[in-house]
Amino acid sequence: MALTTSATRPTAAQPIRRFMRRAIATLSLSCVTGGLFMAPVLAQPPAVGRTEPANTPQTLADGVYLYGQSQQPDQLGSAYLVFEVEQQQAVGAFYMPHSSFDCFSGQVRPNRLDLSVVSSYEQTVHSYSVAIETPATLVAGPAASEFTLVGFHSLQPDAQDYDILATCQADFAQR
């Protein structure tokens, strides 16, 4: 099931779709290649049965977030990540402007987002982790909800971001 709309996809979107498919297909090589979108990531999910310490501060408050490779929204050639967090569970999408997007769901950890990314064309699922960097001065305090995704810039989501997010949320609700 392709998650694109013909109204927002330019006719020259074929190279972008190939890029996204190739990027998702090479997730397991992300550590070697510098990450899906040139962001350092963890190549392997955490070991089964491993838990985070109970006193570890929460790194991500409930809410909707948008991060991009570019400091500006809607820049062609830049990758973006929109997601919502509820009780340390994340649902969202990786996308490039005027192209398709790949939905994901996952869990927020103190130092990473552990995600299962669904390729919009092949409907295959790939494990992927995005590193979270929390400023050391905040880790010990109650304001530990400030963080950055390594390789991305924090942005404000707009109506299109909320539309993409709603599509992914609906898709995961049906699974």
Side-chain angles (χ1 to χ4, degrees), residues 16-30 33 35-37 96 102 126 128:
I16 295 171
R17 282 195 305 267
R18 275 183 287 179
F19 166 78
M20 293 298 287
R21 272 185 268 151
R22 211 172 318 119
I24 296 299
T26 59
L27 288 173
S28 62
L29 299 175
S30 61
T33 63
L36 174 63
F37 299 116
M96 295 182 83
D102 295 318
H126 305 275
Y128 186 67

Side-chain angles (χ1 to χ4, degrees), residues 61-66 82-85 155-157 161-162 165 169:
D62 288 358
V64 175
Y65 297 88
L66 174 66
V82 62
F83 59 99
E84 182 171 24
V85 173
L155 302 167
Q156 291 297 315
D161 297 310
Y162 282 102
L165 180 59
Q169 289 170 327

